[in-house]
Amino acid sequence: MTSLHRAARKDARETNDMRLSAYSGQLTPCRAALTALIAFTGQTPAWAAEPVTTSATPLATVIVTGAPGDDASFAGATLDGADLAVRRAGTSDTAHLLEDVPGVNVYGAGGISALPSIRGLADERLRVQVDGMDLMSACPNHMNSPLSYINPTKVDRIVVYAGIAPVSAGGDSIGGTVQVESTSPKFARAGEGVLAEGQIGAFYRSNGDARGYNFGVALAGEQVRVSHAESNPRSGNYHAGDSFKAPGLGGLFMGNWLDGDEVGSSNFRNSRNRDLGLALQFDDHLLQLNVSRQSVGFEGFPNQRMDMTDNRNTLVNLRYIGQYAWGELKARVFNQNTWHRMDMGPDRFDYGFGMPMVSRADTRGAEIQGSVALSARDTLRLGIGYQTYDLDDWWPPVGMAGSMCCDDFWNVRDGERDRIGLFGEWEARWNPLWTTLLGVRADRVTTGAGDVQGYSAMGMWAGDAALFNALDRKRTDRHVDFTALMRHAPEAGPALQAGFARQTRSPSLYERYPWSTQAMAALMNNFVGDGNGYIGNPDLEPEVAHTLSVSGDWHALEADRWGVKASVYFTYVDDYIDARRCDFGQCGAANPTLTGGFVLLQYANQSARLVGFDLSGHRLLGRLDGWGSFTAKGTLSYVRGENRDTGDDLYNIMPLNAKLTLEQRQGRWTNAAEIIAVAAKSKLSWVRNEMPTDGYALLNLRSGYEWKRLRVDLGVENVFNRYYAQPLGGAYLGQGMSMSSGGIPWGTVVPGRGRSFDVAFNLRF
């Protein structure tokens, strides 16, 4: 794309921002749209006893549950229904809905922006899709992560491909795929009139005084449906368990006003998601348009040196699904526009003026996939997709004089990341026992960035900027991936699955193009939350992962009586993007050898190895008259990650962890006691001066009751109010002089949440 075209797009999106500024006021009153729908259908509303899809349309089956031949059958886990309902009461962050999947953990971040990690690989090493869209973060700290754009109350189904993903579900990723889907559209039955439905819910969590609401309404005829949904959660700073005291209170933190157990910069507020949908159904075809808008007024990040002071994100998502005699056709186009701001929140104080930072990005994508039934045995899937991502990241000047005056600091200017890919995949069901899946994928990723400058053209910024501007910054990467999966699934006996894959990921713009070696600037580029500063490397090569995975599933003929699943895996990554100590520019002579404190790092290609296992199981313990059934459930996971070039341990690897749950069901009641146990974290990344954490065990209690269309959930998290440090929580930077590498004490990991009493309800009508 030429620079002239990109300039025209910039002018257009500025106009769009002005038009969309009134969007939040237009979404709520959907009365006119509903009236128009009634007039269009020529029917009067009939409040249906139970919402259903039309019997003539098989699309709902494809969207919601997946056809038997769909490659989701090779997924590591599928979450829906009760699996999701029990978790919604305790979180406002969609990423935390994944924590019951063996091998899946989350990186700590803001209250609605955690980052999923699958078997030691996280963030952009995963393909994360929200309603089919490959969304992109537009922040040097990845504060606006893809899953932050969908509220947990809107999630209807999650599919996780752990480690190996079919090529139809992968691409530009090496650790697996997470697909999050909202509720599929439902239409009225023939002759039933107009289907009207809705839901309203609210929650309260005592720790942090967290509260919020969600609601949605929809009106549908036999062929047309309109819907509106909205959610608005908020929370104050949460409190850690007993005995937590932030180091330096009243001293280094200069008389900070936080309580001793209060975790600074862990609050969020004015977080509002709105979605307006239109769906058309005719014969075996579905056309669906959704326009959504998210605005977050403030979100604190206890493991970052900044807080998010504003984030506005607009999504337009148009998809088509059609059933034909030869198979199924899916198509999608989407657009994401993000405007993002960071600065110091009220729990921080840096010289009295802060450090404003601004990012804006446009992401556009298009994809078309066809699934062709070649025979009763063979299914062929073909697809092609395209995505463009344009990023500007600049920091306005501060003050009338000094090192942060008097021009904009351009961290990434005119950043571009364009990807085009195509795939072919063959699934064969040789007999009722054996199924194979073979796929090949090719992608081309092109990145580039424009000239940069510091806060001024002279002084400390000039040298690094001149070196960067002299480089040829355009890079083109070509990926060739393949996946081979096999499954043996008898009616009786263990089901076995094995697979091997080569998967490739190109570096992000924030890995290639941040250019300044000055400490203050480098510290602002960090999306892993370790407190260190990061410098980009334009010469990074793509990561190439080779993964072998074997799993087994043993269960009783009556699957609810008992079952055990076990997986072992091995991944070797060529050109793994790790980090090396910066020993050039303004990094300082002591930086390469510091054994404590925060350091400056540059991204570098090395090699890595990850090996581990996941184990899960359940057993029906028995049934008692008047008490219902009792079931024990458990998971156990371990992963070991090592840098093969340096012998160092990989950063932010979850130690051995287990979860044991005793569940009791009686009629409409479900009660559960859950124990979470995590071993001490002692395998650490020395290049980052990663901090250890102690082992811990927590007890959580939950209870849920469903009556007709009402669901009520109660819970007590961390019943004994135990203090613990989160193994993937990152460095605690949530209060004090966070702009300075020496202004924050090194050695404290972000603590976990103390005891909280939670309640939530949801009513469908």
Side-chain angles (χ1 to χ4, degrees):
M1 182 173 291
T2 66
S3 58
L4 180 61
H5 289 162
R6 291 191 183 270
R9 279 167 50 171
K10 274 193 173 184
D11 293 340
R13 71 188 182 193
E14 288 173 1
T15 303
N16 288 338
D17 279 349
M18 295 175 62
R19 292 173 179 172
L20 288 165
S21 63
Y23 180 84
S24 60
Q26 296 171 355
L27 271 181
T28 302
C30 53
R31 213 176 281 171
L34 299 179
T35 303
L37 176 61
I38 295 173
F40 178 84
T41 59
Q43 301 173 34
T44 57
W47 295 89
E50 192 69 33
V52 294
T53 56
T54 55
S55 57
T57 303
L59 289 174
T61 300
V62 173
I63 300 166
V64 178
T65 62
D70 194 274
D71 56 19
S73 59
F74 284 94
T78 299
L79 304 176
D80 54 18
D83 298 325
L84 298 174
V86 73
R87 288 290 171 187
R88 290 193 185 105
T91 184
S92 299
D93 191 335
T94 295
H96 285 283
L97 298 179
L98 300 167
E99 290 184 308
D100 281 342
V101 179
V104 177
N105 305 106
V106 295
Y107 276 24
I112 57 173
S113 303
L115 303 168
S117 173
I118 300 178
R119 296 177 175 178
L121 299 171
D123 199 6
E124 292 187 334
R125 292 190 169 102
L126 310 177
R127 186 180 187 186
V128 179
Q129 295 179 295
V130 176
D131 282 331
M133 298 178 288
D134 291 288
L135 305 181
M136 303 285 284
S137 179
C139 169
N141 304 140
H142 284 193
M143 293 180 176
N144 42 24
S145 55
L147 292 183
S148 69
Y149 291 124
I150 181 168
N151 188 273
T153 59
K154 199 169 184 294
V155 176
D156 183 64
R157 181 173 183 254
I158 299 176
V159 178
V160 178
Y161 297 92
I164 296 178
V167 295
S168 57
D172 200 23
S173 60
I174 64 171
T177 299
V178 177
Q179 297 174 335
V180 177
E181 303 170 6
S182 54
T183 304
S184 300
K186 301 174 184 177
F187 298 87
R189 291 174 182 255
E192 203 172 47
V194 173
L195 170 67
E197 60 179 355
Q199 61 84 28
I200 185 170
F203 73 88
Y204 178 78
R205 297 189 287 272
S206 65
N207 195 336
D209 193 28
R211 68 193 74 177
Y213 68 85
N214 64 88
F215 73 86
V217 293
L219 198 60
E222 296 175 23
Q223 295 180 314
V224 183
R225 175 186 175 94
V226 294
S227 62
H228 169 64
E230 179 172 325
S231 61
N232 190 345
R234 64 181 300 158
S235 175
N237 286 341
Y238 71 81
H239 292 257
D242 288 337
S243 304
F244 172 65
K245 299 291 181 183
L249 285 177
L252 187 59
F253 285 150
M254 299 185 298
N256 193 291
W257 55 87
L258 297 180
D259 294 336
D261 62 353
E262 184 176 347
V263 179
S265 300
S266 60
N267 59 328
F268 60 92
R269 59 181 180 270
N270 299 329
S271 171
R272 177 167 292 176
N273 292 272
R274 288 176 168 144
D275 178 271
L276 184 64
L278 171 66
L280 306 175
Q281 175 184 255
F282 45 98
D283 296 328
D284 292 335
H285 306 273
L286 174 69
L287 185 66
Q288 184 178 2
L289 173 67
N290 286 84
V291 180
S292 62
R293 173 80 165 181
Q294 184 200 66
S295 59
V296 181
F298 180 86
E299 183 179 7
F301 284 77
N303 65 353
Q304 296 290 352
R305 298 176 181 275
M306 310 288 284
D307 296 311
M308 188 167 76
T309 57
D310 187 23
N311 195 84
R312 287 174 286 147
N313 187 78
T314 303
L315 293 170
V316 180
N317 187 16
L318 177 65
R319 72 163 179 169
Y320 164 79
I321 301 178
Q323 302 285 348
Y324 297 85
W326 49 264
E328 182 183 66
L329 181 66
K330 298 180 181 180
R332 182 185 309 276
V333 293
F334 73 90
N335 180 82
Q336 177 189 19
N337 175 265
T338 304
W339 179 279
H340 173 72
R341 295 180 184 270
M342 296 189 296
D343 208 332
M344 307 300 166
D347 296 339
R348 312 173 194 261
F349 34 88
D350 290 270
Y351 319 117
F353 49 76
M355 183 178 176
M357 302 169 67
V358 184
S359 304
R360 67 175 304 158
D362 283 331
T363 306
R364 293 176 173 87
E367 185 177 41
I368 184 168
Q369 294 188 24
S371 181
V372 183
L374 301 177
S375 67
R377 186 193 70 183
D378 302 312
T379 301
L380 178 66
R381 300 185 185 94
L382 301 171
I384 185 170
Y386 181 67
Q387 183 185 64
T388 67
Y389 173 66
D390 297 334
L391 171 71
D392 284 319
D393 183 330
W394 72 98
W395 311 344
V398 177
M400 303 298 294
S403 61
M404 297 171 66
C405 173
C406 298
D407 299 319
D408 288 336
F409 181 106
W410 282 91
N411 190 41
V412 178
R413 189 174 198 170
D414 295 329
E416 306 170 10
R417 193 181 193 275
D418 300 334
R419 174 169 60 89
I420 186 170
L422 55 91
F423 71 85
E425 187 172 85
W426 170 43
E427 181 174 344
R429 293 180 173 270
W430 301 96
N431 54 50
L433 303 182
W434 291 95
T435 304
T436 59
L437 184 71
L438 301 174
V440 178
R441 183 181 185 100
D443 291 88
R444 187 187 70 180
V445 180
T446 303
T447 67
D451 288 349
V452 297
Q453 68 179 36
Y455 285 110
S456 64
M458 307 294 291
M460 69 174 70
W461 316 107
D464 289 341
L467 289 173
F468 182 85
N469 291 338
L471 296 174
D472 177 8
R473 298 176 293 277
K474 186 173 183 179
R475 300 289 184 271
T476 300
D477 305 323
R478 291 176 172 83
H479 306 173
V480 178
D481 296 349
F482 64 85
T483 296
L485 290 162
M486 175 275 296
R487 185 176 66 250
H488 178 258
E491 290 186 7
L496 302 176
Q497 180 172 309
F500 180 77
R502 170 192 162 109
Q503 299 170 114
T504 312
R505 178 191 79 98
S506 282
S508 69
L509 298 184
Y510 282 116
E511 288 170 319
R512 274 185 167 155
Y513 297 122
W515 52 274
S516 178
T517 62
Q518 204 280 331
M520 182 179 67
L523 290 170
M524 301 302 120
N525 286 282
N526 181 320
F527 48 80
V528 296
D530 62 2
N532 298 311
Y534 285 83
I535 300 151
N537 183 350
D539 294 324
L540 287 175
E541 295 292 332
E543 298 177 323
V544 181
H546 308 270
T547 299
L548 175 65
S549 177
V550 179
S551 62
D553 182 352
W554 297 263
H555 55 268
L557 289 177
E558 297 179 24
D560 63 338
R561 294 189 65 83
W562 67 267
V564 176
K565 295 181 180 180
S567 298
V568 294
Y569 55 88
F570 174 87
T571 298
Y572 192 91
V573 187
D574 290 315
D575 290 318
Y576 181 86
I577 300 175
D578 209 324
R580 71 179 191 91
R581 292 289 180 90
C582 176
D583 57 2
F584 57 92
Q586 303 176 65
C587 291
N591 187 69
T593 57
L594 285 175
T595 57
F598 301 112
V599 294
L600 303 184
L601 304 161
Q602 184 184 38
Y603 295 109
N605 285 123
Q606 293 163 345
S607 59
R609 181 182 67 187
L610 299 100
V611 60
F613 68 85
D614 299 317
L615 181 67
S616 63
H618 69 275
R619 182 175 180 83
L620 178 64
L621 301 178
R623 294 181 173 89
L624 295 176
D625 291 340
W627 293 89
S629 64
F630 291 82
T631 302
K633 301 178 180 180
T635 63
L636 179 69
S637 295
Y638 176 77
V639 59
R640 174 82 166 90
E642 184 181 10
N643 186 311
R644 298 298 292 165
D645 289 356
T646 65
D648 194 11
D649 295 303
L650 299 185
Y651 173 70
N652 241 12
I653 299 295
M654 187 72 173
L656 179 70
N657 61 97
K659 184 181 295 183
L660 179 63
T661 304
L662 177 62
E663 183 179 86
Q664 180 253 338
R665 291 178 177 267
Q666 170 64 16
R668 300 185 180 96
W669 281 102
T670 301
N671 301 294
E674 175 187 81
I675 296 175
I676 298 174
V678 179
K681 183 179 179 182
S682 58
K683 303 291 186 183
L684 308 171
S685 172
W686 66 262
V687 72
R688 292 175 168 84
N689 287 339
E690 185 179 6
M691 293 171 278
T693 58
D694 295 331
Y696 61 90
L698 306 175
L699 174 64
N700 303 319
L701 301 177
R702 299 190 181 93
S703 181
Y705 182 79
E706 289 189 83
W707 182 73
K708 294 185 178 181
R709 297 173 178 270
L710 175 67
R711 179 181 176 94
V712 178
D713 288 279
L714 304 172
V716 185
E717 302 290 312
N718 194 355
V719 171
F720 297 112
N721 201 31
R722 296 289 301 275
Y723 168 77
Y724 65 101
Q726 302 180 73
L728 306 187
Y732 180 53
L733 312 170
Q735 55 184 123
M737 298 177 60
S738 58
M739 279 177 58
S740 169
S741 60
I744 293 289
W746 178 84
T748 301
V749 176
V750 176
R753 188 182 302 270
R755 181 169 48 233
S756 181
F757 297 92
D758 305 339
V759 59
F761 82 89
N762 193 77
L763 175 65
R764 295 182 295 113
F765 55 87

